[in-house]
Amino acid sequence: MSSPPSLLRVRIARKTTAAQGICLLELASEDGVTLPRFSAGSHIDVQLPNGLTRQYSLCNAVGVEDCYEICVLREPNSRGGSIAIHEQLAEGDLLSISTPKNHFPLVHAASSSILIAGGIGITPIISMADRLHQAGAAFRMHYCAKSPAHAAFHDRLARSPYASSVSFYFSATGHRADAATLLRDAPEGAHVYVCGPQGFIDAVLGAARVRGWSEDLLHREYFAAGPASGASEAFEVKLASTGELIPVQRDETVLSALCRAGIELPFSCEQGVCGTCLTRVLEGTPDHRDAYLTAAEQAGNDQFLPCCSRSKSPVLVLDL
Amino acid sequence: MQTIELHRPASFPMNRWWVAAFSWELKDKPLGRTLLSQRVVLFRTGDGRASALLDRCCHKDLPLSLGTVEERGLRCGYHGLLFDCAGTCIEVPGQDRIPAKAKVPAFHVEERDQIVWIWIGSSPDSRPTEPPPAYEFHSRADFRYGGGVMHYEAPYQLIHDNLLDLSHLGYVHLLTIGGNPGVHMNAETKVDQQGDVVRVIRHMPGSKPPPTYTATYPFKGLIDRWQEIEFHVSHLRIWTGAADQGAESLQNPERGGFHMRGFHGVTPETDTTSHYFWTIATNPAQDHENVLKLVVDQTEATFREDKVVIEAQWDNQRALTPLPQVDIHVDVGPNRARRVINALVKAAA
């Protein structure tokens, strides 16, 4: 019986260590179906033995077409997907994966490109470098990691035909990159592709915008370590009763920002499930991330759940 | 036909059909049952028609459910007053005159697909505004089903909570439909709401088949499982099943594999007790009789596992002063259902 096109059965043909805390899996087709080819930046969904599904970028070495190569960073503070891969999966094990999808494609008409990888973010970036080199397109790659031992594909990049276009930055040796350095001397109209931890991506994009890069030249892919969350920007909430403005940082919730400012709200689940912290919104546009309000209620934009939801506008005026 | 007046504000969603019984429960005897705090007697007359009256004789208050069913109606077990399907007294043994006031309130009842539905209205002139829900899996040729009626010492919404969250399978139902708890607690869950209907959809690809599944279907190894739960205030429809890993698309509503279609008519008896009318239908690939028996037996065993949990929850809730609950991710669907019911109860108040 052949699988429907959306799902593939693969076998772990090889499992090796790519770097400290990073393993490389080579996935071969189990039921004889030819693995679909993929564009640089693509990823697959992998269904794990503990019931989770996780996305991994395809980072095949040039010329490898009979299997998919993915790298997995061991994340101790997640729900155990990467731990399951590192500790439970072995060569010969079967997995279900999706066909490749691409939310991080290269722009064909780009005159030049700047590829920026932070840590495990190298996985889609290295595919992009290979493809740009094959196409004879101009590019520069910047790869930031803790140390060479922590950097997957360090050797592959150092031995690649485009090694002179790659710069490494190892924070453990004090050679830390800042976003300004990475974007220095960029050609006019260069496209920027960045992948890595959220803070890393935000810093690079922030620096690019400040230097006048327009949004259509900036491309990113976030790897969510835990439950998916979109990009979070800082904003402010205003208390309608006093006019007080309270900043909400990127990595905190409205609820915790209010708590820090001494404003107490009832709360319970802290996940947008129970509705206990429901608060009226008088002005501004909430960015709803809860599961409690119906779609119609969310569209009304006159209430939100501060334990998880954020703001699309710079200021959200709350009935507090 | 006179609808019963309520003595107190409704604490249930009103003006809708609720499950009163399964057709096979009404044979030749009257059936007394409290539904939404109302005492009802259900009976089937000689013409095969199911009817429901207030379970109280207008003469001396005896429950009519202690009487007998006859060709033309229900006869009270005290002095033999005979009432027709509309609750009108049509005979008083020993006298010619039948007082005009000798009437018992009647309820609108309709049978559909082997389910007896009763209309519970909030005012005397409330009439059904639509037919009761259909349930095709009691009539389709490719499905066989069995079921039962259970009584819970617990409020009906605790049963909703339990049915709208199937992530507990790996902890509560290890002997039947459980499996690996991690697979259930981590399964991707989508909650969708259209009006008063709440849907919870969960997919568990690449699972190990649980005991019930391996006993009833020739799976080859790992399976792709699904659970699709649909809440309709008066009842829930739950479609669960599995196919061999990778064999079917879980997005396809016509997909093959092993199917179980559950009907769950959850009708409040009182504020603190409930009736649970359930059937489970399945599409056996072979050995129809034995597969059906296995599925029905295992399903009943599953509900008994749930009953222990639900009644223990209620017992604790009753014993302890109300303490705040802390919700987790599994509560999204149940909370939507509770919001729907709260809104309906408020609207009828």
Side-chain angles (χ1 to χ4, degrees):
Chain A
M1 196 182 307
S2 64
S3 312
S6 57
L7 216 58
L8 301 166
R9 284 178 73 197
V10 296
R11 176 179 32 90
I12 300 177
R14 254 177 66 125
K15 183 181 176 191
T16 54
T17 302
Q20 195 148 321
I22 300 177
C23 68
L24 172 74
L25 298 183
E26 291 174 27
L27 306 173
S29 172
E30 173 64 4
D31 48 16
V33 173
T34 308
L35 295 178
R37 301 184 67 170
F38 60 93
S39 49
S42 292
H43 67 274
I44 51 173
D45 295 334
V46 178
Q47 292 165 1
L48 302 176
N50 65 356
L52 296 169
T53 297
R54 287 288 175 264
Q55 287 72 44
Y56 296 103
S57 297
L58 295 170
C59 50
N60 288 27
V62 175
V64 172
E65 283 176 15
D66 61 345
C67 70
Y68 286 151
E69 293 183 3
I70 60 173
C71 270
V72 180
L73 171 69
R74 193 181 190 287
E75 309 241 29
N77 294 329
S78 68
R79 270 191 294 153
S82 59
I83 293 177
I85 292 179
H86 277 256
E87 294 178 3
Q88 291 172 30
L89 293 184
E91 287 173 8
D93 284 348
L94 297 181
L95 291 171
S96 278
I97 64 169
S98 71
T99 51
K101 309 176 208 182
N102 199 341
H103 301 164
F104 191 34
L106 287 168
V107 172
H108 290 300
S111 54
S112 70
S113 306
I114 303 178
L115 307 177
I116 302 176
I120 195 62
I122 188 59
T123 47
I125 295 292
I126 196 170
S127 282
M128 291 176 161
D130 288 342
R131 197 58 55 91
L132 289 170
H133 174 73
Q134 269 179 332
F139 72 94
R140 182 108 214 122
M141 188 202 290
H142 300 286
Y143 183 5
C144 307
K146 205 157 149 191
S147 75
H150 287 87
F153 304 127
H154 181 241
D155 279 354
R156 177 171 145 189
L157 288 166
R159 286 194 299 243
S160 70
Y162 53 83
S164 56
S165 302
V166 180
S167 302
F168 294 96
Y169 308 84
F170 299 119
S171 55
T173 55
H175 190 191
R176 199 179 264 286
D178 58 32
T181 309
L182 305 180
L183 297 167
R184 193 179 49 207
D185 301 330
E188 189 71 33
H191 283 253
V192 174
Y193 301 85
V194 54
C195 185
Q198 185 170 310
F200 178 86
I201 293 177
D202 291 349
V204 168
L205 295 181
R209 289 184 188 113
V210 154
R211 278 157 186 69
W213 252 277
S214 58
E215 286 307 311
D216 60 314
L217 298 176
L218 301 176
H219 316 278
R220 89 285 281 155
E221 183 149 76
Y222 289 97
F223 287 168
S229 57
S232 299
E233 309 275 334
F235 57 96
E236 289 178 310
V237 292
K238 186 184 214 174
L239 307 181
S241 58
T242 60
E244 185 185 349
L245 276 170
I246 294 163
V248 180
Q249 303 305 334
R250 191 186 300 120
D251 56 358
E252 66 179 344
T253 63
V254 174
L255 182 66
S256 47
L258 289 171
C259 274
R260 268 193 310 110
I263 293 131
E264 289 189 15
L265 281 183
F267 68 93
S268 183
C269 76
E270 300 177 50
Q271 296 202 79
V273 172
C274 71
T276 302
C277 67
L278 189 65
T279 301
R280 287 218 311 139
V281 174
L282 303 174
E283 271 176 55
T285 310
D287 175 10
H288 297 286
R289 301 189 185 190
D290 70 287
Y292 176 82
L293 296 170
T294 63
E297 287 168 333
Q298 287 185 347
N301 280 332
D302 57 359
Q303 54 187 337
F304 88 135
L305 294 177
C307 67
C308 62
S309 296
R310 303 186 67 77
S311 178
K312 290 183 180 163
S313 47
V315 179
L316 212 55
V317 180
L318 304 181
D319 189 10
L320 290 172
Chain B
M1 196 177 281
Q2 174 195 333
T3 314
I4 174 87
E5 302 239 19
L6 300 170
H7 296 298
R8 60 198 177 106
S11 47
F12 309 110
M14 304 296 279
N15 304 313
R16 61 191 55 243
W17 296 104
W18 291 90
V19 178
F22 285 124
S23 294
W24 60 81
E25 293 187 271
L26 300 185
K27 295 197 258 278
D28 53 354
K29 290 191 177 23
L31 179 58
R33 198 164 259 174
T34 299
L35 304 166
L36 280 68
S37 298
Q38 311 201 33
R39 295 192 164 204
V40 176
V41 57
L42 300 151
F43 60 101
R44 189 186 297 285
T45 41
D47 56 354
R49 186 181 147 184
S51 302
L53 303 176
L54 184 69
D55 194 8
R56 175 243 175 206
C57 182
C58 56
H59 172 217
K60 289 236 173 268
D61 305 300
L62 187 72
L64 290 168
S65 53
L66 295 179
T68 51
V69 182
E70 296 188 0
E71 184 71 27
R72 293 186 295 149
L74 184 56
R75 192 179 290 279
C76 180
Y78 203 173
H79 303 91
L81 268 70
L82 183 64
F83 298 93
D84 70 5
C85 297
T88 307
C89 181
I90 54 177
E91 186 188 317
V92 179
Q95 76 184 45
D96 294 327
R97 180 180 218 81
I98 301 175
K101 295 199 184 205
K103 282 179 77 68
V104 172
F107 294 85
H108 294 277
V109 161
E110 263 186 61
E111 260 181 304
R112 200 168 179 190
D113 295 318
Q114 296 294 306
I115 301 166
V116 180
W117 295 92
I118 187 167
W119 182 267
I120 306 285
S122 58
S123 70
D125 39 357
S126 174
R127 303 184 63 79
T129 50
E130 59 193 356
Y135 191 66
E136 62 178 293
F137 297 99
H138 289 171
S139 1
R140 273 172 59 165
D142 52 338
F143 277 83
R144 300 187 168 225
Y145 73 97
V149 181
M150 290 166 71
H151 181 264
Y152 278 62
E153 291 290 330
Y156 74 122
Q157 287 182 281
L158 286 182
I159 301 175
H160 295 161
D161 289 345
N162 173 276
L163 292 173
L164 278 161
D165 141 49
L166 297 187
S167 58
H168 65 269
L169 263 57
Y171 294 104
V172 179
H173 301 301
L174 287 165
L175 296 178
T176 52
I177 55 173
N180 177 338
V183 170
H184 290 288
M185 292 303 287
N186 283 317
E188 195 197 303
T189 302
K190 285 194 179 54
V191 177
D192 175 66
Q193 184 173 345
Q194 304 285 334
D196 290 343
V197 178
V198 178
R199 275 179 199 87
V200 178
I201 296 179
R202 308 174 79 237
H203 292 162
M204 287 142 290
S207 308
K208 197 164 166 308
T212 303
Y213 282 37
T214 47
T216 54
Y217 195 88
F219 289 111
K220 300 195 189 100
L222 291 184
I223 58 175
D224 293 335
R225 277 181 88 164
W226 66 83
Q227 293 153 355
E228 300 192 5
I229 308 155
E230 215 176 75
F231 165 85
H232 289 266
V233 181
S234 62
H235 67 284
L236 286 90
R237 300 165 185 238
I238 304 184
W239 180 25
T240 58
D244 282 312
Q245 186 178 23
E248 302 278 346
S249 164
L250 297 190
Q251 310 304 327
N252 177 8
E254 308 295 323
R255 56 188 176 270
F258 170 61
H259 293 190
M260 294 204 289
R261 292 276 186 179
F263 175 83
H264 307 260
V266 183
T267 305
E269 181 184 45
T270 62
D271 285 324
T272 60
T273 58
S274 310
H275 296 294
Y276 189 17
F277 304 94
W278 65 274
T279 65
I280 191 79
T282 187
N283 61 339
Q286 72 239 346
D287 195 16
H288 296 159
E289 290 308 317
N290 286 329
V291 166
L292 176 64
K293 181 171 193 327
L294 194 56
V295 165
V296 171
D297 287 348
Q298 295 262 302
T299 301
E300 184 166 354
T302 303
F303 294 160
R304 297 219 172 271
E305 287 170 325
D306 281 320
K307 189 169 185 297
V308 169
V309 167
I310 291 168
E311 290 183 341
Q313 275 180 288
W314 172 238
D315 186 61
N316 236 13
Q317 286 174 342
R318 219 177 12 191
L320 302 165
T321 51
L323 294 170
Q325 295 183 332
V326 179
D327 287 350
I328 66 172
H329 59 103
V330 311
D331 300 304
V332 176
N335 284 354
R336 291 293 187 97
R338 281 180 175 271
R339 292 192 74 200
V340 166
I341 288 185
N342 289 349
L344 291 171
V345 169
K346 220 166 134 189

